Amino acid sequence: MPSEIAVEKKKLKNPPLELHYLGDRVLRQAAKRVAKVDDELRQVVREMLQTMYSKDGIGLAAPQVGIHKQLIVIDLEPENAANPPLVLINPTIKQVSRDISVAQEGCLSIPNVYLDVKRPEVVEIAYKDEYGRPRTLKANDLLGRCIQHEMDHLNGVVFVDRVENSLTLVQELSKNGFSYQAVKPIV
């Protein structure tokens, strides 16, 4: 269910929130469930969207901007003003497909690093929208992958933790100024 929160999809010179990068402990802390969905939370959603658009992202989890709440914003069409973003509050995975696919992923918290990651092809989630209404969503392709990627952030997991080709991982990270020591492999 697309969001009703309206934010202009444009790059801001000074986005409202600061991104945290691989190696920052903030990214490794598990997010807490959102207890109350109110105007204050909706303002955080707006700021997350503005920050995501400013950094050319398609997904952003609250821990990436130092907010330890189970909150995700996603917009697979950031250049399409008519397409509203998706807001996921307290998302939980209900079911995943047995079919696995491999695709390249990137992350705003690890700029310029794109590596292959295995994930279930289809994911079904339950969540609350920006007004606290319970929703469910079944997603595949890029949306399914993006949801799983962002939900990992809520658990202190970064996509590089799932990369199986450690040689390529080390090369890409060092080429972009990141340390392999910051990776916590879970494959």
Side-chain angles (χ1 to χ4, degrees):
M1 203 69 206
S3 169
E4 297 168 24
I5 290 188
V7 169
E8 201 176 341
K9 297 183 179 191
K10 66 176 185 181
K11 283 188 181 201
L12 302 175
K13 207 182 239 162
N14 298 306
L17 301 170
E18 192 176 321
L19 270 174
H20 292 266
Y21 298 97
L22 183 67
D24 192 324
R25 284 200 332 254
V26 166
L27 294 176
R28 296 303 184 172
Q29 295 168 5
K32 292 177 174 44
R33 288 184 64 75
V34 172
K36 192 165 91 181
V37 179
D38 56 12
D39 287 338
E40 193 178 316
L41 186 75
R42 284 185 283 278
Q43 181 56 35
V44 171
V45 168
R46 282 185 202 90
E47 291 176 0
M48 284 177 62
L49 285 165
Q50 290 169 327
T51 302
M52 180 183 78
Y53 293 134
S54 297
K55 301 291 185 179
D56 294 322
I58 59 169
L60 183 67
Q64 291 179 270
V65 289
I67 298 168
H68 291 289
K69 291 187 170 157
Q70 291 184 11
L71 176 60
I72 293 168
V73 295
I74 293 175
D75 189 346
L76 300 185
E77 296 182 54
E79 62 292 323
N80 179 355
N83 183 58
L86 183 61
V87 176
L88 307 175
I89 300 168
N90 297 337
T92 56
I93 292 177
K94 292 294 176 201
Q95 201 172 350
V96 294
S97 66
R98 283 198 203 126
D99 296 332
I100 302 293
S101 65
V102 176
Q104 273 206 340
E105 292 186 22
C107 183
L108 292 177
S109 293
I110 316 171
N112 305 312
V113 174
Y114 300 93
L115 296 161
D116 286 343
V117 178
K118 278 185 190 174
R119 293 197 188 268
E121 274 185 26
V122 182
V123 63
E124 189 175 338
I125 61 164
Y127 65 98
K128 287 187 175 169
D129 69 11
E130 66 275 16
Y131 292 101
R133 298 175 293 211
R135 303 278 187 195
T136 58
L137 175 66
K138 194 172 191 174
N140 62 357
D141 299 326
L142 183 57
L143 180 57
R145 182 166 290 277
C146 192
I147 287 170
Q148 293 174 74
H149 174 111
E150 299 306 334
M151 284 183 72
D152 271 353
H153 279 297
L154 301 183
N155 297 310
V157 174
V158 186
F159 91 97
V160 291
D161 299 342
R162 294 189 180 278
V163 172
E164 292 180 4
N165 185 335
S166 55
L167 184 63
T168 306
L169 175 59
V170 169
Q171 289 172 339
E172 284 302 303
L173 289 176
S174 66
K175 186 168 80 180
N176 289 284
F178 294 102
S179 168
Y180 179 72
Q181 302 304 313
V183 176
K184 297 188 179 347
I186 56 173
V187 289

